[in-house]
Amino acid sequence: MSWNSFGRLFRFTTWGESHGPALGVIVDGCPPGLPLGEGDIQPYLDARKPGQSRFTTQRREADQVRILSGVFEGKTTGTPISLMIENTDQRSKDYGDIAGKYRPGHADYAYDAKYGFRDYRGGGRSSARETAARVAAGAIARKVIPHVGILGHVVEMGGDKVSGFDAAQIAANPFWCADADAAARWETKLDAARRSGSSLGAVVEVLADGVPAGWGSPVYAKLDSELGSAMMSINAVKGMEIGDGFGAARLSGEQNADPMRPGERPGDPPLFEANHAGGTAGGISTGQQIICRIALKPTSSILTPVDTITRDGQATEIQTKGRHDPCVGIRAVPVAEAMMALVLADAFLMHRAQVG
Amino acid sequence: MSWNSFGRLFRFTTWGESHGPALGVIVDGCPPGLPLGEGDIQPYLDARKPGQSRFTTQRREADQVRILSGVFEGKTTGTPISLMIENTDQRSKDYGDIAGKYRPGHADYAYDAKYGFRDYRGGGRSSARETAARVAAGAIARKVIPHVGILGHVVEMGGDKVSGFDAAQIAANPFWCADADAAARWETKLDAARRSGSSLGAVVEVLADGVPAGWGSPVYAKLDSELGSAMMSINAVKGMEIGDGFGAARLSGEQNADPMRPGERPGDPPLFEANHAGGTAGGISTGQQIICRIALKPTSSILTPVDTITRDGQATEIQTKGRHDPCVGIRAVPVAEAMMALVLADAFLMHRAQVG
Amino acid sequence: MSWNSFGRLFRFTTWGESHGPALGVIVDGCPPGLPLGEGDIQPYLDARKPGQSRFTTQRREADQVRILSGVFEGKTTGTPISLMIENTDQRSKDYGDIAGKYRPGHADYAYDAKYGFRDYRGGGRSSARETAARVAAGAIARKVIPHVGILGHVVEMGGDKVSGFDAAQIAANPFWCADADAAARWETKLDAARRSGSSLGAVVEVLADGVPAGWGSPVYAKLDSELGSAMMSINAVKGMEIGDGFGAARLSGEQNADPMRPGERPGDPPLFEANHAGGTAGGISTGQQIICRIALKPTSSILTPVDTITRDGQATEIQTKGRHDPCVGIRAVPVAEAMMALVLADAFLMHRAQVG
Amino acid sequence: MSWNSFGRLFRFTTWGESHGPALGVIVDGCPPGLPLGEGDIQPYLDARKPGQSRFTTQRREADQVRILSGVFEGKTTGTPISLMIENTDQRSKDYGDIAGKYRPGHADYAYDAKYGFRDYRGGGRSSARETAARVAAGAIARKVIPHVGILGHVVEMGGDKVSGFDAAQIAANPFWCADADAAARWETKLDAARRSGSSLGAVVEVLADGVPAGWGSPVYAKLDSELGSAMMSINAVKGMEIGDGFGAARLSGEQNADPMRPGERPGDPPLFEANHAGGTAGGISTGQQIICRIALKPTSSILTPVDTITRDGQATEIQTKGRHDPCVGIRAVPVAEAMMALVLADAFLMHRAQVG
């Protein structure tokens, strides 16, 4: 079943194909009275936009967002906000090869097995172009929780991890990398991959500061669960973890403890001596920084021929030319940030509903 | 907001506290006409039941399930199936210490910050006792997809990984371990942890065979996303991955490819030369084995005193005595299997709804 | 598809068959800290309980409610509240006639056409016994909106309408009738119907006072729409209206106007010179009394033989003996009140979520 | 809480204000492979379009629909279908009077009480212009259930009822009236109302033929309940009923019976001797014609001055000039048809999901 909506109270529904006339998103459930204009959304789209450096796909999209409803006199009205982005670079090309063959690692075969056919023009709804809509929705989510700061960065590329964190570096290189040394190494690595028509995987981390204790829920709407759903819905993501994540599985109970002590002044929230848990306990925020990481597989579109089959079931090979990201992890950063914002805005409204 | 339901069409809602009279689950959306009796559910509960070996909590619960509705003359009627399990070992003890102090690593503080108070008797809804209800629901889910085989096992404990897979071994040791050598090592390791009042983390893998190509959805109901939501809702889980997961982030596009070739006979589904993707592409099943792994943190209840605060905000220490699992990963195996079954049963109904 | 849940944030799920061991309801999403005990729920169940007068079915059910979860030290915890009512009078009788024949006017044939079989013991989930669970849930909903007063009464029976409204009369007769003269007429009428094995329809009105302006939503969660869904889900209800309802369709715009004037003191809500709209405008509450009426068909179980068919498709007749309500409208009063409370509690939480 | 989505599996979300640049709808959950083009949708929009006769508002809207996604090579793809309709006649006028005063009978006051402000340009989301989006979605729903025929007509205007039914008449007059005599009387009546700046209420009936037995659900997704929710969400609707509806409340059990007899040939569905129930029993379709009626209040915008208050709470009067429908019941016909189609398409998918 097609399911293109996300969220419980702060809900959004995305639409549009990679090669259709436009794509968009309806954001429903937004509180009224928030200042909102296209200028609040565009910077996030620009951050995700293809063609920003030689390390992302050279498809050229303006990704200009237009607000079609839900805003009146510069403020949200509490009614659905419709955002639309026109596709301007649906290059008219020959899809012949892709149309008749399944690209391994892409949704092609599974999609066809499901629906009985597929939109072979760039993957239809399977295209990562859908994420532009999420990024736009995420910009609105940030308005709902203005005191929460959300920051994404790449922490590992092609197996090579960062070893430091300097927030100022993140915007200073084309990799959203907080470690200048790692960024330099990645440049070499990714250039090599790009030239040989190969690709690299990556790990992206998203941090959220300013979330008070108490958001989330103890059972099926744990923050962990909502983030699991959100992050695993991003194209090419094959894993996610919170706090120490898989690393926590290698610790003892003593090593993994997050001891507490009183806040500095009476009434202050408690201080934690560690944050192995990544900001949640029992699915509810603790007031610490929320830490989430996602693993992105290397782009499946590579120049090396790969065995595959045709729609008729005949053996063949496929070699994917064209404009692809050599490491989809880079452009996933603003997308993951958006999903974090969307989950947290929803958690905030859900919390306010029950507790007031 | 409290959210105790899961699933879109095959939906279940759990209820009950660790120290209340009973707990249970309502399963709604089950197809009619499936043979179902308590005997179909009890074995799964027995597998999860505490006190099966010295490596799980010594709390003694019969965990006897009773079907209260939705079954008539031995078959499901298509109406809600109510299952109840009475709590028999709510030991009358002194909760004084726990009642007044927050246990770091547990939901205590976050829960109180959310709701303004908490049920300090064993954690209320934060107790892993809730998972008994999921396991019961999962047994019904298996009936909906009888051709799907689901198998969970522990693949890593305290950082020590299995190196082989022999399905026959899984039931032959108290760790659900498919590698006899690893099981022997874990026994020593966990005995040491148990005696010193410490605890270990673990990684659990769940495999599903027999899922045809085409289940799932391209965007927000990707199988990956549904599994992300399901698995991250299990107590103590801090990470999840599908297929190579975080490992895929370290591969090149060539290494990560899952090449396809034609099935043996015309009409057969295609064969895949690898399964790095873990059985999904673009969120939809490919017909390969579904592979999912989850990371469980070490039990937070340890004998070593940990800094904490009282409800009044005063500095103190806490030392958690009592009956605890030294490695919650063991009893998480039937729970993770159940969540896999519940996600897949739902995906099957969702697929049938849209495509027929 | 079986769908046994209602509500968006204040959600409940009912379960149980007429002739199973018990029935119940899980209420999820209730705010924490509300005082709640079985004594808060039982009076509403007693009001609905069968066998209160000769004008309701003589089935004898204690309808004793038990809280199994979600309440700790006399207060709601914010987690799911499980309520259970045991069935004590599942009279062991011969269902042979009903088992093999479809009762016209009942769900029998439609149910069988849907599910391929049916629980012929008293209708299974189609039995109005399910409404006990709603009434129990409704008692909790009232706690969420303590300043809202909800009052149901029968305004028409067998085509005979009340002509006055004296709230004090409602509890003084077995018909929840606010007009003593009408109650006297109905007694004669319904006695005649009862003796001849016939039945009468009725119209029930539910009033809600104290709802502030602003609850509801402009489009698909209009209060009108939520009440439409809620009221039309009650057994035997075939119509519903708000305010003047079908009568409004016969008025001119001038006659139907609800003119406004300022409240008595600055800051007071406005006063309305009429309430044709029944307390909602554009789907949102106006601060006036909410007025809703529902039409209940006459009980389909009558002594007069009616043409029908057997499960095998053979022509036959059926004559329904047994313990039936000669006018289901009477016992629908507490049910309709409960549904009003449940809709309003949900609307309150929904409003608080978005607007704070 | 804003809630602009409807449906469980066949879901749609509408957006757009009366006086914004455009409005639209996303239809999600549509089965793949259905032939669909703008030409399948436009006729229904044309039927609802204003300005078709002197009996509807003279606002001139082309209401030209554009499919922006979800259709590929003339067929639905199973992914979200985005439809957009541009607003072309957002007449630039002086809203001064409306901006500062609440129009009684409209959502103005309630809306402002909810959100703290309102979009005074034509009512924002409260405008019946939103129903264009429903009508467009309904056209797609019809494609999902091609064997179901849906027909709406006006059965009462200003208290004057039709006395016959000739389907061929419906398109032959500007009132969707199946009775030529009634249409002639209504013409006079409505002309008088229109000239005097008054308005009339109406009752609309929607019939659905070809629905097999078995759609719907026994409890909270009864067809009756889904229709209750759907129909009561239409602007100006204040009541709804199924089958005999409020009339059934005046019948005895014998009069209200729908006796059954065997179908003509073995295997044929049963025949019913009456259809007081309007095609549902216990919330599930019986295979008979579905009959639903809705009551529409007279347009609140009238020329006669009505007492009201300003936003500042001062007493004043309002007189609504401008382009209004003298009887909103006329243009409600295609809207009610659309809601019927949307409910039934959803019920079909829900049924297929559970029962196959």
Side-chain angles (χ1 to χ4, degrees):
Chain A
M1 171 57 66
S2 180
W3 205 273
N4 295 277
S5 300
F6 190 89
R8 301 179 191 276
L9 286 178
F10 191 88
R11 283 154 287 127
F12 65 98
T13 302
T14 69
W15 59 270
E17 281 86 42
S18 169
H19 286 66
L23 60 88
V25 59
I26 315 303
V27 176
D28 200 7
C30 185
L34 306 178
L36 185 72
E38 278 127 2
D40 294 305
I41 303 170
Q42 196 61 48
Y44 297 101
L45 284 167
D46 291 346
R48 179 203 156 278
K49 204 163 63 172
Q52 302 287 83
S53 78
R54 68 181 184 277
F55 301 110
T56 59
T57 171
Q58 296 307 300
R59 179 171 171 155
R60 294 275 163 196
E61 286 290 357
D63 277 359
Q64 209 68 40
V65 70
R66 201 173 152 214
I67 299 175
L68 294 176
S69 70
V71 175
F72 182 54
E73 298 178 344
K75 290 191 178 162
T76 60
T77 59
T79 62
I81 303 169
S82 175
L83 305 178
M84 187 165 76
I85 297 164
E86 286 184 52
N87 287 326
T88 53
D89 183 8
Q90 320 118 272
R91 189 175 294 191
S92 171
K93 70 170 182 180
D94 177 15
Y95 294 103
D97 202 40
I98 293 175
K101 296 176 181 179
Y102 297 127
R103 294 168 300 164
H106 283 276
D108 298 4
Y109 167 68
Y111 212 97
D112 203 348
K114 181 173 198 71
Y115 290 122
F117 65 100
R118 66 189 173 96
D119 177 350
Y120 47 76
R121 304 163 308 165
R125 286 297 283 169
S126 298
S127 165
R129 193 143 175 71
E130 186 269 346
T131 59
R134 307 181 185 214
V135 168
I140 302 175
R142 289 174 195 251
K143 291 280 182 173
V144 177
I145 45 171
H147 300 296
V148 173
I150 293 171
L151 183 71
H153 60 125
V154 179
V155 293
E156 184 182 322
M157 186 178 293
D160 183 7
K161 295 189 189 183
V162 293
S163 50
F165 179 85
D166 175 1
Q169 286 297 321
I170 294 176
N173 58 69
F175 306 111
W176 309 109
C177 179
D179 172 354
D181 291 344
R185 297 192 307 268
W186 296 355
E187 181 158 0
T188 312
K189 247 182 149 133
L190 198 55
D191 255 332
R194 189 174 57 83
R195 282 197 214 99
S196 65
S198 182
S199 61
L200 299 179
V203 176
V204 169
E205 181 174 86
V206 190
L207 308 169
D209 286 285
V211 175
W215 292 6
S217 169
V219 187
Y220 299 110
K222 281 186 169 82
L223 273 188
D224 311 65
S225 180
E226 305 289 61
L227 286 170
S229 174
M231 296 300 172
M232 295 300 294
S233 79
I234 300 175
N235 306 48
V237 171
K238 296 306 286 184
M240 68 84 62
E241 57 184 13
I242 291 177
D244 284 6
F246 278 86
R250 293 188 292 269
L251 301 179
S252 69
E254 294 75 27
Q255 292 165 329
N256 191 55
D258 291 331
M260 300 170 75
R261 48 193 172 80
E264 301 203 351
R265 273 162 304 211
D268 277 6
L271 297 170
F272 288 83
E273 295 167 15
N275 189 11
H276 297 283
T280 72
I284 304 170
S285 60
T286 58
Q288 295 174 277
Q289 186 181 55
I290 309 275
I291 305 169
C292 181
R293 272 181 304 280
I294 56 176
L296 292 112
K297 66 176 184 180
T299 320
S300 300
S301 299
I302 49 174
L303 213 55
T304 305
V306 180
D307 285 350
T308 191
I309 60 171
T310 64
R311 279 205 73 188
D312 304 330
Q314 302 305 309
T316 185
E317 278 194 341
I318 197 162
Q319 188 190 12
T320 320
K321 295 166 189 169
R323 304 166 297 169
H324 299 289
D325 289 278
C327 174
V328 290
I330 300 170
R331 288 177 57 218
V333 170
V335 180
E337 283 186 353
M339 294 310 290
M340 174 66 85
L342 290 157
V343 163
L344 293 177
D346 198 24
F348 163 61
L349 297 187
M350 291 287 282
H351 180 66
R352 184 162 74 177
Q354 190 178 21
V355 180
Chain B
M1 171 57 63
S2 180
W3 206 273
N4 295 277
S5 301
F6 191 89
R8 300 180 192 274
L9 286 178
F10 191 88
R11 283 153 288 127
F12 65 97
T13 302
T14 69
W15 59 270
E17 281 85 42
S18 169
H19 286 66
L23 60 89
V25 59
I26 315 302
V27 176
D28 201 6
C30 186
L34 305 178
L36 186 72
E38 279 128 1
D40 294 306
I41 302 170
Q42 196 61 48
Y44 297 101
L45 285 167
D46 291 347
R48 181 204 155 278
K49 203 162 66 171
Q52 301 288 80
S53 78
R54 67 182 184 276
F55 301 111
T56 60
T57 172
Q58 296 306 301
R59 178 170 171 156
R60 293 275 163 197
E61 285 290 357
D63 276 1
Q64 208 69 40
V65 70
R66 201 173 152 213
I67 299 176
L68 293 177
S69 70
V71 175
F72 182 54
E73 298 178 344
K75 290 191 179 163
T76 59
T77 58
T79 62
I81 304 170
S82 176
L83 305 177
M84 188 165 75
I85 297 163
E86 286 185 52
N87 287 327
T88 53
D89 183 9
Q90 319 120 269
R91 189 176 293 191
S92 170
K93 68 169 184 180
D94 177 15
Y95 294 102
D97 203 39
I98 292 175
K101 295 176 181 178
Y102 298 126
R103 294 169 300 165
H106 284 275
D108 298 5
Y109 166 69
Y111 211 97
D112 202 348
K114 180 173 199 70
Y115 291 122
F117 65 101
R118 66 188 174 97
D119 177 350
Y120 47 76
R121 304 162 309 164
R125 285 296 284 170
S126 298
S127 166
R129 195 146 172 67
E130 186 269 346
T131 60
R134 306 180 186 215
V135 169
I140 301 176
R142 289 174 194 251
K143 291 279 183 174
V144 176
I145 45 170
H147 300 295
V148 173
I150 293 169
L151 182 71
H153 60 127
V154 179
V155 294
E156 185 182 322
M157 185 178 293
D160 183 7
K161 295 189 189 185
V162 294
S163 50
F165 179 84
D166 176 1
Q169 285 297 320
I170 294 176
N173 58 69
F175 307 110
W176 309 108
C177 179
D179 171 354
D181 290 345
R185 296 192 307 266
W186 296 355
E187 181 158 1
T188 311
K189 249 184 148 132
L190 198 55
D191 255 332
R194 188 175 57 83
R195 282 198 213 99
S196 65
S198 182
S199 61
L200 300 180
V203 176
V204 169
E205 182 174 85
V206 190
L207 308 169
D209 287 285
V211 175
W215 292 6
S217 170
V219 187
Y220 300 110
K222 282 186 168 82
L223 273 188
D224 311 65
S225 180
E226 305 290 61
L227 287 169
S229 175
M231 297 300 172
M232 295 301 293
S233 79
I234 300 175
N235 306 48
V237 171
K238 296 305 287 183
M240 68 84 63
E241 57 184 12
I242 291 179
D244 284 6
F246 279 86
R250 293 188 293 270
L251 301 179
S252 68
E254 294 74 30
Q255 293 165 328
N256 190 55
D258 291 330
M260 299 171 75
R261 47 192 172 82
E264 301 203 352
R265 272 162 305 211
D268 277 7
L271 297 170
F272 288 84
E273 295 167 16
N275 189 11
H276 297 283
T280 71
I284 304 172
S285 59
T286 58
Q288 296 174 276
Q289 187 181 55
I290 309 274
I291 305 169
C292 182
R293 272 181 304 280
I294 55 176
L296 293 111
K297 67 177 183 179
T299 320
S300 300
S301 299
I302 50 173
L303 214 56
T304 306
V306 180
D307 285 350
T308 192
I309 60 171
T310 64
R311 281 204 72 188
D312 303 329
Q314 302 304 312
T316 184
E317 278 194 342
I318 197 162
Q319 188 189 14
T320 320
K321 295 166 189 168
R323 305 167 296 170
H324 299 290
D325 289 278
C327 174
V328 289
I330 301 171
R331 288 178 58 217
V333 170
V335 179
E337 283 185 354
M339 294 310 290
M340 174 66 84
L342 290 157
V343 164
L344 293 177
D346 198 23
F348 163 62
L349 296 187
M350 292 286 283
H351 180 66
R352 184 162 73 177
Q354 191 178 20
V355 180
Chain C
M1 172 56 64
S2 179
W3 206 272
N4 295 276
S5 300
F6 190 90
R8 300 180 193 274
L9 285 178
F10 192 87
R11 283 154 288 128
F12 65 98
T13 302
T14 69
W15 59 271
E17 281 85 43
S18 170
H19 285 66
L23 60 89
V25 59
I26 315 302
V27 176
D28 200 7
C30 185
L34 306 178
L36 185 72
E38 279 127 2
D40 294 306
I41 303 170
Q42 196 60 49
Y44 296 102
L45 285 167
D46 291 347
R48 180 203 156 278
K49 203 163 63 172
Q52 302 287 82
S53 78
R54 67 181 183 276
F55 300 111
T56 60
T57 172
Q58 296 307 300
R59 178 171 172 156
R60 292 275 163 197
E61 286 290 356
D63 276 0
Q64 207 70 36
V65 69
R66 201 174 151 214
I67 299 175
L68 294 177
S69 71
V71 175
F72 181 54
E73 298 179 342
K75 290 190 178 164
T76 59
T77 59
T79 63
I81 303 169
S82 175
L83 305 177
M84 188 165 75
I85 298 163
E86 286 184 53
N87 286 327
T88 52
D89 183 9
Q90 319 120 271
R91 189 176 294 191
S92 171
K93 69 169 183 180
D94 177 15
Y95 294 104
D97 204 39
I98 292 176
K101 296 176 179 178
Y102 297 126
R103 295 168 299 166
H106 284 275
D108 298 5
Y109 166 69
Y111 212 97
D112 204 347
K114 180 174 199 70
Y115 291 123
F117 66 101
R118 67 188 172 97
D119 177 350
Y120 46 76
R121 305 163 308 165
R125 285 295 284 169
S126 297
S127 165
R129 194 144 174 68
E130 186 270 346
T131 59
R134 307 180 186 215
V135 169
I140 300 176
R142 289 175 195 250
K143 290 280 181 173
V144 176
I145 45 170
H147 300 296
V148 173
I150 293 170
L151 183 70
H153 60 126
V154 180
V155 294
E156 184 181 322
M157 186 179 292
D160 184 7
K161 296 189 189 184
V162 293
S163 50
F165 178 85
D166 176 1
Q169 284 297 319
I170 293 176
N173 58 69
F175 307 111
W176 310 107
C177 179
D179 171 355
D181 291 345
R185 299 193 305 268
W186 295 355
E187 180 158 2
T188 312
K189 248 182 150 132
L190 197 55
D191 255 333
R194 188 174 57 83
R195 283 199 214 99
S196 65
S198 182
S199 62
L200 300 179
V203 175
V204 169
E205 181 174 85
V206 190
L207 308 169
D209 287 285
V211 175
W215 293 5
S217 171
V219 187
Y220 300 110
K222 281 186 169 83
L223 272 188
D224 311 65
S225 180
E226 304 290 61
L227 286 169
S229 174
M231 296 300 172
M232 295 300 293
S233 79
I234 300 175
N235 306 48
V237 171
K238 297 304 287 184
M240 68 85 63
E241 58 184 11
I242 292 179
D244 284 5
F246 278 85
R250 294 189 292 269
L251 301 179
S252 69
E254 295 75 29
Q255 293 165 327
N256 190 55
D258 292 329
M260 299 170 75
R261 48 192 170 83
E264 301 203 350
R265 272 161 306 210
D268 277 8
L271 296 170
F272 288 83
E273 293 167 17
N275 189 11
H276 297 282
T280 73
I284 304 171
S285 60
T286 58
Q288 295 175 277
Q289 186 180 56
I290 309 274
I291 304 168
C292 180
R293 271 180 305 279
I294 56 177
L296 293 110
K297 66 177 183 179
T299 320
S300 300
S301 299
I302 50 175
L303 214 55
T304 307
V306 180
D307 285 349
T308 192
I309 60 172
T310 63
R311 279 205 73 190
D312 305 328
Q314 302 305 311
T316 184
E317 278 195 341
I318 197 162
Q319 187 188 14
T320 321
K321 294 166 189 169
R323 305 166 298 170
H324 300 288
D325 289 279
C327 174
V328 290
I330 301 170
R331 288 177 58 217
V333 170
V335 179
E337 283 186 353
M339 293 311 289
M340 174 66 84
L342 290 157
V343 164
L344 293 177
D346 198 24
F348 163 61
L349 296 187
M350 292 286 283
H351 180 66
R352 184 162 72 175
Q354 191 178 20
V355 180
Chain D
M1 173 56 67
S2 179
W3 205 272
N4 295 277
S5 300
F6 189 89
R8 300 181 191 275
L9 286 178
F10 191 88
R11 283 153 287 128
F12 65 98
T13 302
T14 69
W15 60 270
E17 282 85 43
S18 169
H19 286 65
L23 60 89
V25 59
I26 315 302
V27 176
D28 200 6
C30 185
L34 306 178
L36 185 72
E38 277 128 2
D40 295 305
I41 302 170
Q42 196 61 49
Y44 297 101
L45 284 168
D46 290 347
R48 180 204 156 278
K49 204 163 63 173
Q52 302 287 81
S53 78
R54 68 180 182 277
F55 301 110
T56 58
T57 172
Q58 296 308 299
R59 177 170 172 157
R60 293 277 164 195
E61 286 290 355
D63 276 0
Q64 208 69 38
V65 70
R66 200 173 152 213
I67 299 176
L68 294 177
S69 70
V71 175
F72 182 53
E73 298 179 342
K75 290 190 178 165
T76 59
T77 58
T79 62
I81 303 169
S82 175
L83 306 177
M84 187 164 78
I85 297 163
E86 286 184 52
N87 287 327
T88 53
D89 184 9
Q90 319 119 272
R91 188 176 294 191
S92 171
K93 68 170 184 180
D94 176 16
Y95 294 102
D97 203 39
I98 292 176
K101 296 175 180 179
Y102 298 127
R103 294 169 298 165
H106 283 276
D108 298 3
Y109 167 68
Y111 212 98
D112 203 348
K114 179 173 199 70
Y115 291 122
F117 65 101
R118 67 188 174 97
D119 176 350
Y120 47 76
R121 304 163 309 166
R125 285 296 283 169
S126 298
S127 165
R129 192 144 175 69
E130 186 270 346
T131 60
R134 308 180 185 215
V135 168
I140 301 176
R142 288 175 195 250
K143 292 278 182 174
V144 177
I145 46 171
H147 300 295
V148 173
I150 293 170
L151 184 70
H153 60 126
V154 180
V155 295
E156 185 181 322
M157 186 179 293
D160 183 7
K161 296 189 190 186
V162 294
S163 51
F165 179 85
D166 175 0
Q169 285 298 319
I170 294 176
N173 59 69
F175 307 111
W176 310 108
C177 179
D179 172 354
D181 290 347
R185 297 193 305 269
W186 295 354
E187 181 159 359
T188 312
K189 249 184 149 128
L190 198 55
D191 255 333
R194 188 174 58 84
R195 282 198 215 98
S196 65
S198 181
S199 62
L200 299 180
V203 176
V204 170
E205 181 174 84
V206 190
L207 308 169
D209 287 286
V211 176
W215 292 5
S217 171
V219 187
Y220 299 109
K222 280 185 169 82
L223 274 188
D224 311 64
S225 180
E226 304 290 61
L227 287 169
S229 174
M231 297 299 172
M232 296 300 293
S233 78
I234 300 175
N235 306 48
V237 171
K238 296 306 287 184
M240 66 86 62
E241 58 184 11
I242 291 178
D244 284 7
F246 278 86
R250 294 188 292 269
L251 301 179
S252 69
E254 294 75 28
Q255 294 165 327
N256 190 55
D258 292 330
M260 299 169 76
R261 47 193 173 82
E264 300 205 350
R265 273 161 303 209
D268 277 6
L271 297 170
F272 288 84
E273 295 168 15
N275 188 11
H276 297 283
T280 72
I284 304 171
S285 60
T286 59
Q288 296 174 276
Q289 187 181 55
I290 308 274
I291 305 168
C292 180
R293 271 180 305 279
I294 56 176
L296 292 110
K297 67 177 185 180
T299 319
S300 300
S301 299
I302 50 174
L303 214 56
T304 306
V306 180
D307 285 349
T308 191
I309 60 172
T310 63
R311 280 204 73 188
D312 304 329
Q314 302 305 311
T316 184
E317 277 195 341
I318 197 162
Q319 187 188 14
T320 320
K321 294 166 188 168
R323 305 166 297 169
H324 300 288
D325 289 278
C327 174
V328 289
I330 301 170
R331 288 178 58 219
V333 170
V335 180
E337 283 186 352
M339 294 311 289
M340 174 66 84
L342 289 157
V343 163
L344 293 178
D346 198 24
F348 162 62
L349 296 187
M350 292 287 283
H351 180 66
R352 183 161 75 175
Q354 190 177 21
V355 180

